[in-house]
Amino acid sequence: DAGITQSPRYKITETGRQVTLMCHQTWSHSYMFWYRQDLGHGLRLIYYSAAADITDKGEVSDGYVVSRSKTENFPLTLESATRSQTSVYFCASKWQMNTEAFFGQGTRLTVV
Amino acid sequence: GESVGLHLPTLSVQEGDNSIINCAYSNSASDYFIWYKQESGKGPQFIIDIRSNMDKRQGQRVTVLLNKTVKHLSLQIAATQPGDSAVYFCAEKGANLSNNDMRFGAGTRLTVKP
């Protein structure tokens, strides 16, 4: 299916475990983003990527790692999950600067 | 520091009425603004955008107004429908942000009463 998809939709993991959230887009958009959404904070940028093999930190990048070996994929890894990383994670992509971003449906992650 | 925020966290309107959702921004160098709609359990969905060289832009049933003098952005929804019930976010991109970093407000929940 065309668009941007995230997997899994829901994930429960234990503190200290490594977990990877997947993001795939079919538009060949150059830019991809990971946000987390917490009550009272809106969407906060974790990492973004301007192209394959180019990534940069956002506002809340501590504890997260990303990679972008292919244009269409942008996985987000929590190296050692903490309870404070319990959140809803959104992946987004866009074609150019100053254009709208298209969001995936989100991954609800719970760290216990 | 710079921030994007909303005047009202919740808004309740009668079906058929017009809705106005407000957003204040503090970065006078911001040059691009977007409104997103987020329904329960879904990702944000683009509604309309506006660049800083404009003060008004219209879409289908929606209008965005930008007042750079007071750093204020608003979203007007005409003839609000039950399907408009959602959380609405404004987002800005400005000179202090990376070229592709949008800063989002906390959101306003719009509830449409039948």
Side-chain angles (χ1 to χ4, degrees):
Chain A
D1 291 336
I4 183 165
T5 55
Q6 294 182 233
S7 61
R9 290 294 312 278
Y10 304 92
K11 176 74 176 178
I12 300 174
T13 192
E14 294 178 338
T15 300
R17 289 195 179 268
Q18 182 181 81
V19 60
T20 297
L21 310 183
M22 305 301 293
C23 179
H24 176 78
Q25 52 104 355
T26 61
W27 295 301
S28 298
H29 284 170
S30 297
Y31 300 98
M32 295 188 74
F33 307 82
W34 275 106
Y35 292 90
R36 61 178 289 174
Q37 186 175 40
D38 304 291
L39 196 62
H41 287 281
L43 289 157
R44 291 183 292 174
L45 182 68
I46 304 171
Y47 265 97
Y48 71 97
S49 169
D53 296 322
I54 301 175
T55 63
D56 209 345
K57 295 180 178 180
E59 182 185 358
V60 290
S61 61
D62 287 348
Y64 302 94
V65 174
V66 293
S67 62
R68 187 124 180 251
S69 57
K70 292 184 178 181
T71 299
E72 61 266 30
N73 296 325
F74 191 39
L76 175 73
T77 297
L78 287 67
E79 294 184 297
S80 178
T82 64
R83 289 197 179 92
S84 66
Q85 292 176 310
T86 293
S87 186
V88 180
Y89 291 84
F90 286 101
C91 179
S93 72
K94 64 179 179 179
W95 181 243
Q96 293 178 333
M97 293 187 294
N98 286 14
T99 61
E100 73 270 25
F102 295 87
F103 285 81
Q105 287 194 300
T107 295
R108 182 175 293 276
L109 176 68
T110 303
V111 183
V112 297
Chain B
E2 304 292 352
S3 66
V4 175
L6 294 167
H7 291 308
L8 298 172
T10 61
L11 178 64
S12 183
V13 300
Q14 205 70 36
E15 181 179 358
D17 288 351
N18 296 334
S19 302
I20 299 176
I21 301 171
N22 296 303
C23 179
Y25 65 96
S26 56
N27 184 353
S28 57
S30 293
D31 59 2
Y32 180 60
F33 305 86
I34 300 181
W35 280 102
Y36 284 96
K37 171 187 180 182
Q38 186 176 23
E39 296 173 281
S40 181
K42 296 183 179 180
Q45 182 180 16
F46 171 83
I47 302 173
I48 192 167
D49 60 0
I50 189 167
R51 287 167 171 74
S52 59
N53 61 352
M54 304 171 69
D55 53 21
K56 180 179 181 179
R57 190 163 188 224
Q58 288 185 291
Q60 188 178 16
R61 280 201 308 119
V62 295
T63 301
V64 55
L65 299 177
L66 175 61
N67 185 331
K68 293 181 286 294
T69 302
V70 296
K71 296 195 282 281
H72 184 267
L73 190 70
S74 69
L75 176 70
Q76 300 179 0
I77 304 173
T80 313
Q81 302 169 359
D84 294 327
S85 293
V87 176
Y88 290 81
F89 296 92
C90 66
E92 68 169 334
K93 185 187 80 63
N96 289 335
L97 306 175
S98 67
N99 282 338
N100 290 287
D101 187 3
M102 300 292 295
R103 291 291 173 91
F104 289 81
T108 291
R109 181 174 298 280
L110 175 66
T111 302
V112 182
K113 296 177 288 187

